[in-house]
PDB file of all heavy atoms in Angstrom:
ATOM      1  N   LEU T 235      36.339   4.767  14.763  1.00 74.00           N
ATOM      2  CA  LEU T 235      36.371   3.915  15.915  1.00 74.00           C
ATOM      3  C   LEU T 235      37.141   2.588  15.576  1.00 74.00           C
ATOM      4  O   LEU T 235      37.989   2.136  16.288  1.00 74.00           O
ATOM      5  CB  LEU T 235      34.968   3.491  16.322  1.00 74.00           C
ATOM      6  CG  LEU T 235      34.121   4.539  17.036  1.00 74.00           C
ATOM      7  CD1 LEU T 235      32.728   3.963  17.210  1.00 74.00           C
ATOM      8  CD2 LEU T 235      34.722   4.823  18.398  1.00 74.00           C
ATOM      9  N   ALA T 236      36.762   2.063  14.344  1.00 66.00           N
ATOM     10  CA  ALA T 236      37.309   0.833  14.007  1.00 66.00           C
ATOM     11  C   ALA T 236      38.834   0.880  13.778  1.00 66.00           C
ATOM     12  O   ALA T 236      39.593  -0.011  14.169  1.00 66.00           O
ATOM     13  CB  ALA T 236      36.637   0.362  12.700  1.00 66.00           C
ATOM     14  N   HIS T 237      39.284   2.048  13.286  1.00 66.00           N
ATOM     15  CA  HIS T 237      40.702   2.257  13.053  1.00 66.00           C
ATOM     16  C   HIS T 237      41.455   2.178  14.339  1.00 66.00           C
ATOM     17  O   HIS T 237      42.474   1.505  14.430  1.00 66.00           O
ATOM     18  CB  HIS T 237      40.890   3.638  12.366  1.00 66.00           C
ATOM     19  CG  HIS T 237      42.344   4.018  12.194  1.00 66.00           C
ATOM     20  ND1 HIS T 237      43.105   3.437  11.205  1.00 66.00           N
ATOM     21  CD2 HIS T 237      43.131   4.870  12.842  1.00 66.00           C
ATOM     22  CE1 HIS T 237      44.308   3.915  11.311  1.00 66.00           C
ATOM     23  NE2 HIS T 237      44.348   4.850  12.251  1.00 66.00           N
ATOM     24  N   ALA T 238      40.910   2.833  15.385  1.00 62.00           N
ATOM     25  CA  ALA T 238      41.543   2.823  16.696  1.00 62.00           C
ATOM     26  C   ALA T 238      41.727   1.379  17.174  1.00 62.00           C
ATOM     27  O   ALA T 238      42.743   0.991  17.750  1.00 62.00           O
ATOM     28  CB  ALA T 238      40.733   3.608  17.681  1.00 62.00           C
ATOM     29  N   ARG T 239      40.703   0.535  16.892  1.00 61.00           N
ATOM     30  CA  ARG T 239      40.740  -0.847  17.356  1.00 61.00           C
ATOM     31  C   ARG T 239      41.851  -1.601  16.685  1.00 61.00           C
ATOM     32  O   ARG T 239      42.607  -2.364  17.319  1.00 61.00           O
ATOM     33  CB  ARG T 239      39.335  -1.445  17.111  1.00 61.00           C
ATOM     34  CG  ARG T 239      39.053  -2.549  18.089  1.00 61.00           C
ATOM     35  CD  ARG T 239      37.571  -2.842  17.991  1.00 61.00           C
ATOM     36  NE  ARG T 239      37.350  -3.981  17.190  1.00 61.00           N
ATOM     37  CZ  ARG T 239      37.014  -5.155  17.707  1.00 61.00           C
ATOM     38  NH1 ARG T 239      36.922  -5.318  19.018  1.00 61.00           N
ATOM     39  NH2 ARG T 239      36.809  -6.168  16.902  1.00 61.00           N
ATOM     40  N   THR T 240      41.914  -1.460  15.358  1.00 64.00           N
ATOM     41  CA  THR T 240      42.965  -2.192  14.610  1.00 64.00           C
ATOM     42  C   THR T 240      44.334  -1.748  15.067  1.00 64.00           C
ATOM     43  O   THR T 240      45.223  -2.655  15.222  1.00 64.00           O
ATOM     44  CB  THR T 240      42.872  -1.866  13.057  1.00 64.00           C
ATOM     45  OG1 THR T 240      41.574  -1.427  12.769  1.00 64.00           O
ATOM     46  CG2 THR T 240      43.200  -3.084  12.253  1.00 64.00           C
ATOM     47  N   GLN T 241      44.510  -0.441  15.185  1.00 63.00           N
ATOM     48  CA  GLN T 241      45.798   0.075  15.676  1.00 63.00           C
ATOM     49  C   GLN T 241      46.146  -0.559  17.026  1.00 63.00           C
ATOM     50  O   GLN T 241      47.266  -0.997  17.282  1.00 63.00           O
ATOM     51  CB  GLN T 241      45.737   1.585  15.833  1.00 63.00           C
ATOM     52  CG  GLN T 241      45.528   2.337  14.576  1.00 63.00           C
ATOM     53  CD  GLN T 241      46.787   2.430  13.744  1.00 63.00           C
ATOM     54  OE1 GLN T 241      47.808   2.915  14.268  1.00 63.00           O
ATOM     55  NE2 GLN T 241      46.752   1.893  12.551  1.00 63.00           N
ATOM     56  N   ALA T 242      45.157  -0.625  17.873  1.00 60.00           N
ATOM     57  CA  ALA T 242      45.349  -1.174  19.230  1.00 60.00           C
ATOM     58  C   ALA T 242      45.720  -2.676  19.149  1.00 60.00           C
ATOM     59  O   ALA T 242      46.689  -3.085  19.826  1.00 60.00           O
ATOM     60  CB  ALA T 242      44.118  -1.007  20.057  1.00 60.00           C
ATOM     61  N   LEU T 243      45.032  -3.360  18.260  1.00 63.00           N
ATOM     62  CA  LEU T 243      45.357  -4.762  18.080  1.00 63.00           C
ATOM     63  C   LEU T 243      46.784  -4.994  17.646  1.00 63.00           C
ATOM     64  O   LEU T 243      47.449  -5.976  18.033  1.00 63.00           O
ATOM     65  CB  LEU T 243      44.362  -5.468  17.141  1.00 63.00           C
ATOM     66  CG  LEU T 243      42.942  -5.584  17.712  1.00 63.00           C
ATOM     67  CD1 LEU T 243      41.990  -6.142  16.660  1.00 63.00           C
ATOM     68  CD2 LEU T 243      42.930  -6.587  18.896  1.00 63.00           C
ATOM     69  N   SER T 244      47.225  -4.096  16.740  1.00 65.00           N
ATOM     70  CA  SER T 244      48.606  -4.229  16.208  1.00 65.00           C
ATOM     71  C   SER T 244      49.639  -3.598  17.143  1.00 65.00           C
ATOM     72  O   SER T 244      50.804  -3.513  16.824  1.00 65.00           O
ATOM     73  CB  SER T 244      48.680  -3.643  14.819  1.00 65.00           C
ATOM     74  OG  SER T 244      48.509  -2.268  14.882  1.00 65.00           O
ATOM     75  N   GLY T 245      49.183  -3.065  18.211  1.00 62.00           N
ATOM     76  CA  GLY T 245      50.103  -2.583  19.298  1.00 62.00           C
ATOM     77  C   GLY T 245      50.673  -1.205  19.101  1.00 62.00           C
ATOM     78  O   GLY T 245      51.528  -0.793  19.837  1.00 62.00           O
ATOM     79  N   THR T 246      50.166  -0.462  18.099  1.00 56.00           N
ATOM     80  CA  THR T 246      50.708   0.894  17.869  1.00 56.00           C
ATOM     81  C   THR T 246      49.966   1.982  18.591  1.00 56.00           C
ATOM     82  O   THR T 246      50.357   3.157  18.592  1.00 56.00           O
ATOM     83  CB  THR T 246      50.761   1.233  16.362  1.00 56.00           C
ATOM     84  OG1 THR T 246      49.480   0.941  15.829  1.00 56.00           O
ATOM     85  CG2 THR T 246      51.845   0.483  15.626  1.00 56.00           C
ATOM     86  N   GLU T 247      48.825   1.655  19.206  1.00 54.00           N
ATOM     87  CA  GLU T 247      48.100   2.689  19.921  1.00 54.00           C
ATOM     88  C   GLU T 247      47.876   2.183  21.365  1.00 54.00           C
ATOM     89  O   GLU T 247      47.859   0.985  21.644  1.00 54.00           O
ATOM     90  CB  GLU T 247      46.699   2.818  19.303  1.00 54.00           C
ATOM     91  CG  GLU T 247      46.666   3.622  18.039  1.00 54.00           C
ATOM     92  CD  GLU T 247      45.942   4.923  18.166  1.00 54.00           C
ATOM     93  OE1 GLU T 247      44.982   4.975  18.943  1.00 54.00           O
ATOM     94  OE2 GLU T 247      46.379   5.930  17.570  1.00 54.00           O
ATOM     95  N   PRO T 248      47.647   3.095  22.248  1.00 57.00           N
ATOM     96  CA  PRO T 248      47.446   2.649  23.632  1.00 57.00           C
ATOM     97  C   PRO T 248      46.226   1.732  23.672  1.00 57.00           C
ATOM     98  O   PRO T 248      45.236   1.905  22.949  1.00 57.00           O
ATOM     99  CB  PRO T 248      47.227   3.918  24.401  1.00 57.00           C
ATOM    100  CG  PRO T 248      46.931   4.971  23.411  1.00 57.00           C
ATOM    101  CD  PRO T 248      47.608   4.575  22.122  1.00 57.00           C
ATOM    102  N   SER T 249      46.316   0.718  24.519  1.00 64.00           N
ATOM    103  CA  SER T 249      45.204  -0.229  24.538  1.00 64.00           C
ATOM    104  C   SER T 249      43.893   0.372  25.120  1.00 64.00           C
ATOM    105  O   SER T 249      42.857  -0.215  25.098  1.00 64.00           O
ATOM    106  CB  SER T 249      45.586  -1.485  25.332  1.00 64.00           C
ATOM    107  OG  SER T 249      45.886  -1.020  26.679  1.00 64.00           O
ATOM    108  N   ASP T 250      44.025   1.621  25.631  1.00 68.00           N
ATOM    109  CA  ASP T 250      42.834   2.342  26.111  1.00 68.00           C
ATOM    110  C   ASP T 250      41.763   2.432  25.008  1.00 68.00           C
ATOM    111  O   ASP T 250      40.595   2.330  25.232  1.00 68.00           O
ATOM    112  CB  ASP T 250      43.177   3.751  26.563  1.00 68.00           C
ATOM    113  CG  ASP T 250      43.615   3.729  28.000  1.00 68.00           C
ATOM    114  OD1 ASP T 250      43.526   2.696  28.636  1.00 68.00           O
ATOM    115  OD2 ASP T 250      44.180   4.807  28.441  1.00 68.00           O
ATOM    116  N   SER T 251      42.297   2.707  23.740  1.00 70.00           N
ATOM    117  CA  SER T 251      41.372   2.931  22.655  1.00 70.00           C
ATOM    118  C   SER T 251      40.530   1.635  22.359  1.00 70.00           C
ATOM    119  O   SER T 251      39.359   1.737  21.980  1.00 70.00           O
ATOM    120  CB  SER T 251      42.000   3.475  21.397  1.00 70.00           C
ATOM    121  OG  SER T 251      43.100   2.690  21.092  1.00 70.00           O
ATOM    122  N   ILE T 252      41.167   0.545  22.520  1.00 74.00           N
ATOM    123  CA  ILE T 252      40.442  -0.680  22.288  1.00 74.00           C
ATOM    124  C   ILE T 252      39.268  -0.823  23.322  1.00 74.00           C
ATOM    125  O   ILE T 252      38.155  -1.292  23.049  1.00 74.00           O
ATOM    126  CB  ILE T 252      41.345  -1.942  22.310  1.00 74.00           C
ATOM    127  CG1 ILE T 252      40.619  -3.150  21.638  1.00 74.00           C
ATOM    128  CG2 ILE T 252      41.762  -2.393  23.694  1.00 74.00           C
ATOM    129  CD1 ILE T 252      41.488  -4.258  21.320  1.00 74.00           C
ATOM    130  N   ARG T 253      39.546  -0.338  24.489  1.00 77.00           N
ATOM    131  CA  ARG T 253      38.508  -0.417  25.553  1.00 77.00           C
ATOM    132  C   ARG T 253      37.338   0.474  25.175  1.00 77.00           C
ATOM    133  O   ARG T 253      36.185   0.107  25.378  1.00 77.00           O
ATOM    134  CB  ARG T 253      39.112  -0.028  26.918  1.00 77.00           C
ATOM    135  CG  ARG T 253      39.594  -1.223  27.671  1.00 77.00           C
ATOM    136  CD  ARG T 253      39.769  -0.914  29.130  1.00 77.00           C
ATOM    137  NE  ARG T 253      41.026  -0.195  29.364  1.00 77.00           N
ATOM    138  CZ  ARG T 253      41.137   0.966  29.973  1.00 77.00           C
ATOM    139  NH1 ARG T 253      40.074   1.556  30.442  1.00 77.00           N
ATOM    140  NH2 ARG T 253      42.328   1.532  30.088  1.00 77.00           N
ATOM    141  N   VAL T 254      37.662   1.614  24.605  1.00 79.00           N
ATOM    142  CA  VAL T 254      36.634   2.580  24.217  1.00 79.00           C
ATOM    143  C   VAL T 254      35.709   1.927  23.105  1.00 79.00           C
ATOM    144  O   VAL T 254      34.470   1.921  23.239  1.00 79.00           O
ATOM    145  CB  VAL T 254      37.184   3.866  23.640  1.00 79.00           C
ATOM    146  CG1 VAL T 254      36.095   4.774  23.140  1.00 79.00           C
ATOM    147  CG2 VAL T 254      38.047   4.564  24.639  1.00 79.00           C
ATOM    148  N   VAL T 255      36.362   1.371  22.141  1.00 80.00           N
ATOM    149  CA  VAL T 255      35.574   0.784  21.057  1.00 80.00           C
ATOM    150  C   VAL T 255      34.791  -0.419  21.585  1.00 80.00           C
ATOM    151  O   VAL T 255      33.580  -0.562  21.269  1.00 80.00           O
ATOM    152  CB  VAL T 255      36.508   0.371  19.918  1.00 80.00           C
ATOM    153  CG1 VAL T 255      35.723  -0.241  18.758  1.00 80.00           C
ATOM    154  CG2 VAL T 255      37.316   1.532  19.414  1.00 80.00           C
ATOM    155  N   ASN T 256      35.388  -1.210  22.386  1.00 83.00           N
ATOM    156  CA  ASN T 256      34.671  -2.352  22.926  1.00 83.00           C
ATOM    157  C   ASN T 256      33.496  -1.885  23.818  1.00 83.00           C
ATOM    158  O   ASN T 256      32.414  -2.486  23.849  1.00 83.00           O
ATOM    159  CB  ASN T 256      35.558  -3.241  23.702  1.00 83.00           C
ATOM    160  CG  ASN T 256      36.428  -4.090  22.788  1.00 83.00           C
ATOM    161  OD1 ASN T 256      36.107  -4.114  21.589  1.00 83.00           O
ATOM    162  ND2 ASN T 256      37.550  -4.610  23.238  1.00 83.00           N
ATOM    163  N   ALA T 257      33.652  -0.734  24.499  1.00 85.00           N
ATOM    164  CA  ALA T 257      32.537  -0.220  25.285  1.00 85.00           C
ATOM    165  C   ALA T 257      31.417   0.122  24.352  1.00 85.00           C
ATOM    166  O   ALA T 257      30.227  -0.144  24.668  1.00 85.00           O
ATOM    167  CB  ALA T 257      33.020   1.040  26.049  1.00 85.00           C
ATOM    168  N   VAL T 258      31.746   0.742  23.203  1.00 86.00           N
ATOM    169  CA  VAL T 258      30.659   1.149  22.263  1.00 86.00           C
ATOM    170  C   VAL T 258      29.924  -0.136  21.781  1.00 86.00           C
ATOM    171  O   VAL T 258      28.710  -0.211  21.750  1.00 86.00           O
ATOM    172  CB  VAL T 258      31.234   1.906  21.066  1.00 86.00           C
ATOM    173  CG1 VAL T 258      30.121   2.159  20.032  1.00 86.00           C
ATOM    174  CG2 VAL T 258      31.830   3.210  21.544  1.00 86.00           C
TER     175      VAL T 258
END
Side-chain angles (χ1 to χ4, degrees):
L235 285 175
H237 176 73
R239 208 163 100 105
T240 338
Q241 296 282 303
L243 288 173
S244 65
T246 47
E247 284 246 326
S249 62
D250 275 351
S251 50
I252 197 168
R253 269 197 280 126
V254 175
V255 181
N256 286 343
V258 175

